[in-house]
Amino acid sequence: MQFKVKDITHENEKGKNIQKILNRELKYAYECGIIGEKYEGYTNQEIKELDLSVAEYSNVKFNVQLREGLIDGKIRMKVYIEKINGEYVHVGIMPPSLVKEYNEKLRKSNQIRGIAELTGGKNKCCRWYEENYKEKCEIQTKELNYGLTVTIYFE
């Protein structure tokens, strides 16, 4: 089962900005050498020459836990990711339309495990333009909100 985490641009259950939580965790993981080189190690020149689009942090995954809880007076399936220190932090919710399917699969399973893959963030790419009848490339950095795509495995 796979889904995009909802409400990831809001505050979590403790009133903390989820985007800031993810940003801090990524910076810490990078400083500790847990995640690889930024922009997959490509230089701006290589991005131009190879016409790449490269994320600042790629192939970043977190362990996931799902817990039922109240949000705005409604029962929701909350998504938690494991931080480097082993603690879990609330980062959003499962889309409500999937909760029934999730609960049905859960009843038939002995155990589940979940992985969240990071999406969004800073991205470098080549912006092509023409100048004096010559094609030129300029490195452009776009910054999107972070997102998480969760995959749940039922065993």
Side-chain angles (χ1 to χ4, degrees), residues 71-85:
I71 295 181
D72 297 329
K74 296 178 183 175
I75 294 178
R76 298 288 187 226
M77 192 60 67
K78 296 180 181 179
V79 177
Y80 294 78
I81 60 166
E82 184 178 16
K83 296 179 5 177
I84 293 168
N85 65 9

Side-chain angles (χ1 to χ4, degrees), residues 18-139:
I18 295 168
Q19 292 293 305
K20 287 182 181 177
I21 291 169
L22 290 170
N23 196 31
R24 274 194 304 271
E25 197 64 16
L26 290 166
K27 284 182 180 178
Y28 184 60
Y30 176 73
E31 289 168 3
C32 292
I34 295 170
I35 55 180
E37 293 182 76
K38 289 184 179 185
Y39 304 105
E40 298 180 30
Y42 288 107
T43 65
N44 285 349
Q45 187 62 37
E46 290 170 324
I47 292 170
K48 283 181 183 181
E49 289 172 1
L50 300 171
D51 195 17
L52 299 173
S53 178
V54 188
E56 179 179 26
Y57 301 109
S58 56
N59 300 316
V60 177
K61 296 179 180 164
F62 300 94
N63 289 324
V64 168
Q65 285 185 356
L66 300 173
R67 302 179 198 157
E68 223 173 60
L70 281 177
I71 295 181
D72 297 329
K74 296 178 183 175
I75 294 178
R76 298 288 187 226
M77 192 60 67
K78 296 180 181 179
V79 177
Y80 294 78
I81 60 166
E82 184 178 16
K83 296 179 5 177
I84 293 168
N85 65 9
E87 294 176 7
Y88 280 80
V89 62
H90 173 231
V91 293
I93 64 170
M94 173 187 286
S97 62
L98 296 177
V99 173
K100 184 178 178 183
E101 177 188 347
Y102 168 78
N103 284 328
E104 287 172 1
K105 289 182 177 186
L106 183 61
R107 278 192 284 278
K108 297 175 185 176
S109 302
N110 291 324
Q111 76 180 81
I112 66 165
R113 61 186 174 87
I115 300 291
E117 189 166 353
L118 183 76
T119 60
K122 287 183 183 175
N123 189 67
K124 284 186 179 182
C125 62
C126 218
R127 187 183 72 78
W128 291 95
Y129 63 97
E130 196 172 292
E131 185 178 278
N132 297 327
Y133 304 105
K134 288 186 179 182
E135 261 194 350
K136 293 196 171 196
C137 168
E138 169 182 280
I139 294 295

